Structures are given as structure tokens and as C-alpha cells.
Amino acid sequence: MNYQLSHLKELEAESIFILREVAAQFENPVLLFSGGKDSILVSYLAKKAFYPARIPFPLLHIDTGHNFAETIEYRDNWVADLNAKLLVGSVQDAIDKGKVTEEKGYNASRNFLQTAVLLEELENGKFDAAIGGARRDEEKARAKERFFSHRDEFGQWDPKNQRPELWNLFNGRKQFGEHFRIFPISNWTELDVWQYLAEENVPLPSLYFAHQRKVFHRDGILLADSEFIPKRPEEKVVEMTVRCRTIGDVTCTGVWESSASSIEEIIEEVAASRKTERGGRTDDKRSETAMEDRKKDGYF
């Protein structure tokens, strides 16, 4: 497939430039990997940026223990294909050790517990930069981020105290104990991501393509039936043809009714959609400022 979109090459060049800047400015970076399309894209761009050498930093996955099985299977296969080093931080271990407390009730999710585990992994690994796959078009809090996003000694983000980024000059200076979050694909849109992955023929998790799955409706969102999600008496499980537009913890990742079984059909669907990809994420709906609050606390 050839979309003949020169802007994709411009976006690729920008992202690769930023990844190389990270390798040049920081002593010990790490790439945050969720198994979703955006982190797949960033890791693929990192492979391109440093080829034929290996990616010069490890991949870090914060495992909630409530992931889709397909995500973990894909993660392990993809990391092997990249010939990269994988680190895994476990939310379940943090619960077992009493470092975090698991939520209870119908809307309980481990998604929020990832923050403490992530900050601990960054501190233990002495990582001074954490590369992520956030994009500005995803959500209003993410639209405020710079490419180089400063975090204080507590891992927290102050949206009112960010450094200017002029003429592709990135300021990675920090005090001891502080670190940066780096977002190389900030300027990409959801459609850009899909078109680029199609052009490059990048393998993707099966969750992104239409498949049969048992689901149920909750508060206007379709959720996958799972042992990790307690259901209310009125919530009935049915089988439907669905796919994921974004992938996270199974307890907060909504699925979309869709027949798109190829990347070409996904691109057509995304181009016509009037709903954002995170419109099915229950973790974003807990409050009007849910994402920004989590980011201030040290979330991705």
C-alpha cells in the first residue's frame, strides 16, 4: 500500500531525530512499552534510528496482571524480533508487598496502581529519561506536553512550568533525582500512526482487528467479559464482532463494534470516525481532569 503521504516521512524524521537526541543527552534512558500501537510505533522507530546497532536502551512494561492475553503474547514476540532487552514491573508484586492497595467494587481497576510501580521502576533503574508513545491529539492533558517533559524528584509533572522548545532545541538539563518523559510521536495523529504502520508493514496485535468476543455494556461503553471485571446483575454478556482502538488494562479498555479485519479497513474506519480513540477508556471518565491528575502524580 502506498499512500504517497510525504508528511509521514517528515514525522518519521522528526521522531528519529528526537530519539537520537535522547541517546545523546541522557545517560540511562528507557522506553515505556504497553503493547499498544503507539508504543509499538515508537519501538519500531527506535530500531530504525539506531540500525544496524541494537536499540541502546531497554523496554519497560508495567504489567497490571489484568492485561489481555493477546497483549502479553505479542509483547514477548515483538521484543524478541527487536532483539531488545525487556524489563517488567509488576503491579501484582506491589499489591502482595503492601506498596499499593487494590481497588474494590464494580469499577475497580489496577490501571491507577501503575503509577507507583512505574515510579519505583524508574528510581530502581536510575533511569533519567522515559520514552513514551503519547500523542497530542489523544487527550487534552497530553496536548499540553512538550517533546521533553520535565518531571521533578517525585516524578510529578507541572504543566505550568515547562521549558520552551524552539528551533528543535531540546533542554534536557535536570537536577539530581529528576527525570524527563520523552514523547517522540507527539505530532502524529491516530490516522498517521495507522497509515505509517501500513506503509511499513509492521505486525500488530490481533486485538486491533475485528474478532468475536464476549462483551457487555456499561455506562455507554462495551467492555470485554473477563474474570477481572465483576458484573452487575443487569449487565448481560453477549457475543459481538469487536476490535480495540486503544489497548490497556482489560478492566478499563473499551472495545468497539467493528468489522474492520484489515489495516486498510481500519484506516477507512478511523478516517470516518467522529469519536476519539480514548472515548472507550473508562479510566479517562472518572473525572473531567482524570488524565491530567494522573500525569501530575507521575503517570505516563
Side-chain angles (χ1 to χ4, degrees):
M1 181 186 301
N2 181 13
Y3 289 98
Q4 297 182 340
L5 296 176
S6 61
H7 79 281
L8 290 180
K9 289 300 181 183
E10 293 176 6
L11 289 170
E12 177 192 69
E14 178 182 63
S15 299
I16 286 176
F17 173 76
I18 292 166
L19 287 163
R20 289 172 176 167
E21 276 291 300
V22 173
Q25 290 198 37
F26 297 97
E27 294 183 4
N28 192 24
V30 67
L31 195 158
L32 305 180
F33 187 80
S34 68
K37 67 183 185 307
D38 297 320
S39 62
I40 293 167
L41 172 60
V42 175
S43 59
Y44 179 80
L45 291 168
K47 179 181 179 180
K48 270 197 165 187
F50 302 104
Y51 185 83
R54 293 177 62 185
I55 298 174
F57 34 74
L59 276 59
L60 171 61
H61 179 220
I62 305 302
D63 183 1
T64 66
H66 289 175
N67 293 288
F68 288 95
E70 296 92 331
T71 300
I72 302 302
E73 180 182 4
Y74 177 90
R75 178 200 70 185
D76 295 341
N77 291 335
W78 181 242
V79 169
D81 289 344
L82 292 175
N83 192 25
K85 179 181 180 182
L86 175 67
L87 305 174
V88 179
S90 172
V91 171
Q92 183 63 59
D93 284 350
I95 293 171
D96 293 342
K97 294 175 182 177
K99 295 179 179 179
V100 294
T101 302
E102 186 153 26
E103 295 180 350
K104 305 296 182 182
Y106 289 115
N107 295 311
S109 173
R110 289 186 174 183
N111 195 57
F112 296 86
L113 306 185
Q114 292 181 93
T115 299
V117 178
L118 170 59
L119 292 176
E120 183 177 44
E121 290 295 324
L122 294 178
E123 183 176 356
N124 291 343
K126 296 181 171 58
F127 296 115
D128 54 358
I131 305 163
R135 307 187 327 269
R136 292 188 179 118
D137 76 318
E138 284 183 275
E139 206 273 344
K140 56 190 176 184
R142 289 185 169 177
K144 299 177 182 180
E145 292 276 17
R146 301 287 196 266
F147 286 111
F148 277 34
S149 186
H150 177 262
R151 296 296 195 268
D152 65 18
E153 65 271 24
F154 301 106
Q156 296 178 328
W157 172 62
D158 181 0
K160 296 181 180 179
N161 186 27
Q162 297 194 82
R163 302 171 184 184
E165 292 180 343
L166 306 174
W167 307 295
N168 288 332
L169 297 175
F170 302 107
N171 183 354
R173 294 183 180 178
K174 58 180 179 55
Q175 300 296 323
F176 182 78
E178 299 174 345
H179 73 277
F180 276 79
R181 304 289 171 89
I182 313 294
F183 303 110
I185 63 169
S186 287
N187 286 338
W188 296 59
T189 66
E190 181 186 12
L191 189 59
D192 292 332
V193 172
W194 282 113
Q195 289 176 333
Y196 183 84
L197 294 173
E199 282 284 303
E200 298 291 312
N201 198 29
V202 177
L204 295 164
S206 59
L207 288 168
Y208 280 120
F209 302 96
H211 59 282
Q212 290 293 115
R213 185 176 291 272
K214 291 181 178 180
V215 298
F216 64 97
H217 286 272
R218 174 176 291 177
D219 301 327
I221 294 175
L222 272 179
L223 290 172
D225 183 33
S226 168
E227 61 180 311
F228 305 129
I229 310 177
K231 285 173 285 298
R232 300 184 178 97
E234 69 274 14
E235 293 173 335
K236 306 302 180 184
V237 175
V238 296
E239 191 166 289
M240 297 176 64
T241 302
V242 298
R243 74 175 191 89
C244 293
R245 281 181 69 183
T246 177
I247 296 176
D249 187 290
V250 68
T251 61
C252 63
T253 300
V255 296
W256 302 75
E257 189 172 7
S258 171
S259 61
S261 57
S262 68
I263 198 164
E264 293 83 4
E265 292 174 342
I266 289 174
I267 289 169
E268 292 178 4
E269 184 178 89
V270 169
S273 177
R274 293 296 175 265
K275 294 183 178 180
T276 66
E277 62 190 297
R278 293 190 69 90
R281 291 292 293 262
T282 62
D283 48 337
D284 290 351
K285 298 181 183 299
R286 292 198 173 191
S287 73
E288 284 292 322
T289 59
M291 173 65 79
E292 185 157 330
D293 291 342
R294 281 181 289 154
K295 290 177 74 65
K296 287 179 180 178
D297 290 337
Y299 179 74
F300 172 65

